[in-house]
């Protein structure tokens, strides 16, 4: 297993399985050291294919016996497969017995120990680490599972579906038998054996059926499950209302697991969750955590239809379920947020994440299409491209066919494919067929290139006003950059939502040449060619175009707008997304200029005044103000330039923050006073927006105070830190002190540790906060190195490793990219150390150096050297090997 097979799996090599598994009867004799798995499979030959040996997947298994129809047979091991030469009958029963060791399973894939319990994680290819099987998503079986184990250690025994029998056994043991009536692929299989308690709730769905909902956690955590349960109920209600998709199970369970590689897993009827996405109380979780729980609970629940009822034919189709389900959870979060401005805040958050994670991916060595063509390790393709860009592709379909049309497309998709394992093409086809008159159906081939071509399209837009004819002609062109293994790309269908504003900020009626009358003040142009022009008539004066409203396509836009144009949009655009975007671009222009001439930043009055009036604007959503007054991140800026010097970029951005802090001091003080929350804590959009803006104001005030030596605001921050009644405010105040490197930060950090040392998820925040502090003279990096030796630090728990190491390497460029290369040395050491424990985690961490080629010297050469050092290790998992090899490929 350590060497991993470094063979490439190709999409075009897909073949249907040679055998089907109709039913799987599994018995587990559970024990952390040695679990015995007995499997009885009803197998049928796929008569569409020539007779051939039965090849079963298996990994890290200890095989005890193999019987075909009750008789022992000869078998062999070949390339990690168990091969049984052509069984005589077309249908037969295969019985296998093997053992596995959950406590030795540090990869957290298959059956593993976490805390005092046993849990499974089978997506993508973890089931083969439990027993021999056709571990591929197009083989779907009906499972019956018997769990036997110590009644004291494992009082709770869970698997998918319905509990059909339970009872006691000799020797202090007990058993439970579960049956899942829905045929499912092995990646949706799950088992839990642990000492847990559950919050329970019965709900009645529209059909009148009653369902039992359960949220399982370790003893003592029950008071942190209310929000997860509420989120689950809201998700059930939403999916029925918006898509008419009902809960199809009598029982729906969520189980929180402390050691977990990802966010959560949608196993049929038995979702397993990272504790981070279940446990929340106002005292221990921030508004951001509450939000994360709501969307991850929704995401996994929505998979029950988009993923489980209709699943993927093969793993190249991963975005079929992930892109669609992310789109669904984004829409859910927006509907939950409510007001138009709260929806815009959600959208801005989603786009920021896309730009900071997916755009760099699309520009780096791991660039791949939404539907990849080849992989070495499928776990490396649970990416921002498959998830977030995939969701943008679905969102563009929604834009093109409209909300009703999209619902019709979904209905047709389920009508055609319920119970099947299908492809991305099948989904796009259903959308197009349900909307035959749409631009999607008319240009389906051009649209589907979004699935096939990697890279972020460059959209160029230039407007030309003709005073005499009173026309405004907008010329749009697109260009798709080369990516590893792909060049000479074709144009894709790009929906461009737009409005035109007068220079005074008035929205103008839009009438294209050839139309009888204006059609509103906003519309969607559909670009299908490399270049196209659109002429608006009745335009009597110069205009300011507001393009790509609400970010209608995942592209990089070059519209040539001047600062004066952007100030008009910032002040007047009716599209909240583009108002925010105008502010970001004004800030970016200033950062770029400062980087260009190597001088100190001197913010100009028009920009400062625009920021001030935005902050003071009555009636504007505080959450929106918080976003609009946040400067583009160093990660985002780094993607807009080449030869990045992370130290210089940090210096420039910090200087801008200092100026905004000082110039707007009175306004920040006003914002702090004005946005205090009265009354009990609620994690809703309204309250969390106020807290976000107040905490931003506090951070700016402490920053300004640290510059002037003024003691009042740091004192107030410390007071707030001590007295806060919720984690958002406590952490906000602590972060204000830590972010300004104030002398009160250290005592506050110590106090925080003493208060929360027994709360793992809060301790993660303590590590994270220190790892993401703005770097100053190498202090942050030194602190991270010290924290690596802290008794509470471990690489064995993914959340803890992420809190310290991933945050340093992926989110704190100035602390990580050092002229002495110490960050890269640490990176290489930890990639190697992590890889021996948990390859999935290690390969994700390895990706924090993906963009090394975009760095200036001396960073670039030093980073290359560190990557080469990892590449030289003979013992690397195929996961990490794939990332490292791609990073070095020319
Ligand atoms: N299907 C899960 C989701 O998106 C992702 C996931 C959970 C996963 N655990 C995993 C993917 C382990 C790969 C490996 O909701
Ligand atoms: Zn998912």
């Amino acid at each position: 297993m350590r060497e991993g097979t470094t063979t490439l799996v190709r999409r075009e090599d897909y073949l249907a399985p040679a055998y089907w598994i109709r039913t799987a009867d599994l018995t587990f004799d559970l024990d952390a050291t040695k679990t015995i798995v007995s499997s009885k499979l009803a197998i049928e030959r796929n008569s569409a294919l020539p007779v051939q040996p039965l090849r079963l997947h298996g990994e890290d298994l200890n095989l005890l016996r193999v019987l075909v129809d009750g008789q022992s047979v000869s078998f062999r091991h070949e390339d990690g497969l168990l091969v049984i030469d052509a069984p005589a009958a077309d249908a037969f029963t295969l019985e296998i017995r093997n053992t596995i060791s959950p406590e030795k399973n540090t990869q957290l894939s298959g059956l593993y120990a976490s805390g005092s319990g046993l849990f499974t994680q089978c997506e993508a290819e973890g089931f083969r680490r439990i027993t021999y099987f056709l571990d591929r998503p197009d083989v779907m079986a009906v499972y019956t599972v018997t769990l036997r184990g110590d009644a004291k250690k494992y009082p709770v025994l869970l698997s998918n579906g319905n509990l059909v029998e339970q009872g006691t056994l000799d020797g202090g043991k007990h058993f439970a038998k579960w049956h899942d009536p829905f045929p499912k692929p092995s990646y949706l299989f799950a088992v839990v054996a642990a000492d847990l308690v559950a919050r329970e709730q019965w709900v009645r769905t529209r059909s009148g059926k009653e369902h039992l909902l359960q949220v399982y956690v370790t003893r003592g955590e029950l008071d942190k499950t209310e929000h997860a349960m509420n989120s689950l109920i809201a998700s059930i209600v939403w999916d029925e209302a918006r898509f008419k998709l009902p809960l199809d199970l009598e029982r729906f369970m969520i189980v929180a697991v402390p050691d977990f590689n990802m966010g959560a897993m949608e196993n049929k009827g038995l979702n397993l969750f990272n504790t981070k996405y279940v446990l929340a109380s106002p005292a221990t979780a921030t508004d951001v955590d509450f939000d994360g729980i709501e969307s991850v609970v929704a995401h996994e629940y929505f998979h029950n239809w988009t993923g489980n009822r209709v699943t993927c034919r093969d793993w190249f189709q991963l975005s079929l379920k992930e892109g669609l389900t992310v789109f669904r959870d984004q829409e859910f979060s927006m509907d939950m947020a409510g007001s138009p401005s709260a929806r815009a805040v959600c959208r801005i958050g989603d786009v920021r994440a896309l730009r900071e994670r997916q755009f760099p991916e699309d520009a780096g060595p791991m660039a791949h299409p939404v539907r990849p063509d080849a992989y070495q390790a499928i776990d490396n393709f649970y990416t921002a491209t498959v998830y977030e860009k995939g969701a943008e592709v679905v969102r563009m379909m929604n834009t093109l066919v409209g909300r009703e049309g999209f619902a019709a497309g979904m209905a047709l998709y389920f009508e055609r494919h319920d119970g099947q394992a299908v492809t991305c093409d099948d989904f796009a086809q259903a959308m197009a067929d349900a909307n035959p008159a749409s631009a999607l159906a008319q240009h389906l081939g051009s649209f589907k290139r979004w699935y096939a071509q990697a890279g972020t399209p460059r959209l160029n837009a230039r407007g030309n006003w003709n005073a005499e004819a009173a026309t405004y002609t907008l010329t749009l062109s697109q260009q798709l950059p080369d990516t590893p293994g792909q060049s000479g790309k074709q144009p894709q269908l790009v929906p461009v939502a737009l409005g035109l504003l007068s220079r005074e900020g008035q929205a103008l009626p839009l009438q294209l040449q050839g139309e009888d009358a204006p059609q509103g003040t906003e519309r969607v142009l559909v670009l299908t060619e490399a270049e196209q022009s659109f002429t608006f008539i009745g335009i009597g004066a110069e205009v300011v175009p507001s393009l790509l409203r609400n970010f209608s396509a995942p592209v990089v836009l070059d519209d040539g707008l001047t600062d004066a144009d952007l100030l008009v949009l910032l002040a007047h655009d009716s599209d909240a997304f583009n108002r925010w975007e105008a502010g970001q671009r004004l800030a970016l222009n200033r950062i770029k200029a400062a980087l260009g001439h190597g001088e100190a930043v001197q913010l100009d009055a028009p920009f400062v005044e625009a920021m001030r009036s935005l902050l003071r604007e009555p009636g504007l959503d505080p959450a929106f103000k918080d976003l609009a007054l946040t400067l583009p991140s160093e990660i985002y800026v780094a993607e807009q330039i080449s030869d990045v010097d992370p130290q210089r970029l940090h210096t420039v951005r910090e200087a801008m923050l200092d100026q905004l802090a000082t110039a707007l001091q009175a306004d920040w003080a006003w914002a702090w006073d004005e946005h205090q929350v009265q009354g009990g804590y609620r994690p809703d959009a309204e309250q969390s927006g106020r807290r976000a803006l107040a905490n931003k104001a506090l951070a700016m005030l402490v920053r300004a105070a640290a510059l002037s030596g003024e003691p009042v605001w740091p004192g107030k921050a410390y007071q707030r830190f001590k007295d806060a009644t919720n984690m958002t405010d406590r952490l906000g105040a602590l972060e204000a002190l830590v972010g300004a490197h104030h002398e009160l930060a250290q005592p506050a950090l110590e106090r925080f540790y003493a208060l929360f040392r027994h709360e793992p998820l809060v301790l993660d925040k303590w590590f994270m906060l220190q790892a993401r502090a703005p770097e100053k003279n190498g202090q942050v990096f030194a602190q991270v190195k010290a924290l690596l030796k802290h008794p509470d630090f471990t690489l064995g728990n993914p959340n803890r490793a992420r809190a310290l190491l991933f945050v340093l390497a992926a989110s704190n460029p100035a602390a990580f990219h050092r002229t002495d290369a110490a960050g890269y040395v640490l990176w290489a050491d930890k990639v190697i150390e992590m890889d021996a424990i948990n390859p999935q985690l290690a390969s994700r961490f390895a990706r924090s150096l993906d963009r090394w080629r975009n760095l200036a010297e001396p960073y670039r050469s030093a980073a290359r050297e560190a990557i080469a050092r990892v590449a030289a290790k003979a013992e690397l998992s195929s996961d990490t090997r794939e990332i490292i090899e791609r990073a070095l490929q020319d």
Side-chain angles (χ1 to χ4, degrees), residues 300-357:
E300 306 312 330
Y301 176 74
F302 297 156
H303 267 315
N304 190 47
W305 280 94
T306 51
N308 302 4
R309 288 286 287 252
V310 182
T311 194
C312 302
R313 186 193 71 172
D314 56 71
W315 290 121
F316 297 103
Q317 317 299 329
L318 183 57
S319 197
L320 171 76
K321 73 178 177 81
E322 296 303 348
L324 177 54
T325 304
V326 170
F327 169 76
R328 277 152 53 69
D329 83 55
Q330 290 175 347
E331 288 292 296
F332 166 75
S333 293
M334 282 190 228
D335 286 349
M336 293 295 284
S339 72
S341 73
R343 301 178 71 89
V345 165
C346 291
R347 181 65 183 143
I348 292 166
D350 293 339
V351 174
R352 279 177 68 182
L354 183 81
R355 285 173 167 171
E356 286 180 20
R357 304 200 308 113

Side-chain angles (χ1 to χ4, degrees), residues 30 80 116 184 256 300 383 391 403 442 460 477 481 526 574 617 679 694 697 701 772 822 838:
L30 294 156
S116 57
K184 65 171 174 285
E300 306 312 330
T383 59
R403 197 183 154 107
Q442 277 150 26
N460 186 283
S477 63
V526 179
S574 61
E617 187 176 311
L701 290 159
R772 75 176 174 212
N838 185 337

Side-chain angles (χ1 to χ4, degrees), residues 668-670 672-673 676 695 697-699 701-702 705 710-724 729-730 732-734 736-737 742 744:
W668 292 122
W670 165 83
W672 163 260
D673 286 338
Q676 296 303 315
N695 283 326
L698 184 60
L701 290 159
V702 174
E710 179 278 311
V712 174
W713 282 104
K716 279 199 192 189
Y718 193 82
Q719 199 64 39
R720 168 54 62 95
F721 161 73
K722 277 192 353 193
D723 301 345
D729 286 341
R730 196 190 291 273
L734 180 58
L737 292 168
H742 195 274
L744 287 174

Side-chain angles (χ1 to χ4, degrees), residues 133-187:
F133 208 76
L134 290 170
D135 190 14
R136 44 185 290 169
D138 55 355
V139 171
M140 293 190 275
V142 171
Y143 288 70
T144 305
V145 179
T146 304
L147 303 171
R148 296 198 284 244
D150 190 286
K152 278 224 173 58
K153 266 195 225 159
Y154 308 125
V156 172
L157 299 172
L158 308 175
S159 190
N160 319 81
N162 301 314
L163 180 63
V164 289
E165 212 185 321
Q166 60 183 329
T168 54
L169 298 167
D170 293 345
K173 296 192 173 181
H174 70 151
F175 78 96
K177 186 173 176 181
W178 293 80
H179 177 76
D180 181 1
F182 292 93
K184 65 171 174 285
S186 50
Y187 82 88

Side-chain angles (χ1 to χ4, degrees), residues 227-302:
H227 185 64
M229 180 61 90
N230 288 344
S231 301
L232 177 58
I233 294 168
S235 305
I236 295 170
V237 170
W238 185 88
D239 218 10
E240 271 208 281
R242 173 102 179 239
F243 290 114
K244 301 195 170 61
L245 298 173
L247 175 55
D248 59 12
L249 299 145
E250 291 163 36
R251 189 200 262 251
F252 192 89
M253 299 171 277
I254 285 179
V255 180
V257 191
D259 301 284
F260 204 77
N261 273 344
M262 306 267 286
M265 181 62 214
E266 70 266 24
N267 316 301
K268 186 82 186 180
L270 180 56
N271 288 357
L272 263 58
F273 273 62
N274 187 325
T275 44
K276 179 176 161 61
Y277 292 108
V278 175
L279 303 176
S281 71
T284 58
T286 62
D287 293 334
V288 173
D289 296 326
F290 275 87
D291 235 41
I293 290 168
E294 183 184 88
S295 66
V296 177
V297 167
H299 179 97
E300 306 312 330
Y301 176 74
F302 297 156

